[in-house]
Amino acid sequence: MLRNYASENGLKLVCGVDEVGWGAFAGPYVTAAVILPPDFESELIIDSKLICKSKPKMVKAYKLIMDNALSVSCCAISAKDINTIGPQPALDKVLNDTIAGLDITPEFILMDGNKYNPDHNIDYTLVAKGDNTFLSIAAAAIVAKYRRDAYMVKVHDIHPHYGFNSSKGYGSPKMYAGLKEHGRCSYHRTKYVDSWQSKKGIIVWIVRIVI
């Protein structure tokens, strides 16, 4: 079972924060912040990359979090904004927006990852592989992934050429085939697609944006 940082440290309001979508070719970053009760325990709440392999468990875990959390905030930032302001500034913005969206101010924040630029005065720590260590971070990752996955399925209905319903915007054979045949759409991220095209030796003289 993952650890409850609040109960371990005699705190009441510890917020776990995580993002989903950092390495994707397309779609938004989705971030979530979750404050769980200090006595919360559940073997169902695990690393979102593992639990998502079972859709029924993912749904059950999501409902468990939403029913038991003291506060939940979830935000997204679009591929357009990521392209405009850059990957890390976009991530910092949506992480800060998510924390600001909590209806309870946490005593302490556990942030998954190794880089973050806060715009608040709340004490925090960065935890590498935090979603496989602490319950609150794992819960945040599950909320973010559940909502982002659902969104990318809807994007697939608009742009069915890239396999967004299965890859959720991450690199995949169908994604690469769609890029070669149809070019990029407005949900793609410029930096990732340009890098892939450069490595593949694909020269694009005119970039066609499918809206």
Side-chain angles (χ1 to χ4, degrees):
M1 186 182 297
L2 300 186
R3 295 159 55 190
N4 188 318
Y5 188 94
S7 63
E8 288 181 4
N9 293 274
L11 299 172
K12 294 182 178 180
L13 300 174
V14 172
C15 175
V17 182
D18 204 356
E19 62 77 27
V20 176
W22 172 261
F25 273 58
Y29 297 149
V30 176
T31 54
V34 175
I35 301 176
L36 293 172
D39 60 350
F40 181 86
E41 293 183 354
S42 175
E43 294 184 353
L44 183 61
I45 308 304
I46 59 174
D47 187 335
S48 65
K49 294 183 289 295
L50 299 176
I51 198 171
C52 72
K53 296 177 182 179
S54 169
K55 188 172 181 179
K57 285 186 177 180
M58 185 71 171
V59 173
K60 187 176 180 180
Y62 176 80
K63 288 179 63 65
L64 179 68
I65 295 162
M66 298 305 295
D67 288 345
N68 288 275
L70 301 177
S71 185
V72 176
S73 174
C74 189
C75 295
I77 190 164
S78 69
K80 180 181 178 181
D81 287 338
I82 296 168
N83 292 337
T84 300
I85 67 177
Q88 187 61 48
L91 181 58
D92 289 333
K93 181 183 186 306
V94 73
L95 287 170
N96 287 322
D97 287 349
T98 302
I99 292 166
L102 290 164
D103 55 14
I104 300 174
T105 301
E107 299 171 271
F108 192 79
I109 294 170
L110 292 173
M111 177 81 65
D112 184 67
N114 55 26
K115 189 175 182 180
Y116 169 55
N117 297 297
D119 68 354
H120 55 78
N121 296 317
I122 305 168
D123 288 338
Y124 73 95
T125 190
L126 300 176
V127 185
K129 299 182 180 179
D131 53 349
N132 198 29
T133 306
F134 292 109
L135 280 166
S136 58
I137 298 179
I142 288 169
V143 171
K145 182 164 179 57
Y146 181 90
R147 296 193 184 182
R148 186 180 188 278
D149 284 0
Y151 176 79
M152 292 307 295
V153 169
K154 294 179 180 178
V155 174
H156 174 80
D157 292 339
I158 303 169
H159 297 290
H161 310 299
Y162 308 101
F164 291 150
N165 59 330
S166 55
S167 72
K168 307 303 187 291
Y170 288 85
S172 68
K174 189 164 185 179
M175 170 80 77
Y176 306 142
L179 285 168
K180 287 180 180 179
E181 184 174 354
H182 301 280
R184 67 190 73 180
C185 73
S186 58
Y187 292 89
H188 280 104
R189 299 185 197 161
T190 302
K191 182 176 179 180
Y192 287 85
V193 175
D194 286 352
S195 176
W196 172 76
Q197 289 175 332
S198 176
K199 290 176 182 177
K200 292 294 182 180
I202 300 172
I203 300 174
V204 180
W205 296 104
I206 299 176
V207 176
R208 179 161 60 96
I209 302 293
V210 182
I211 298 175

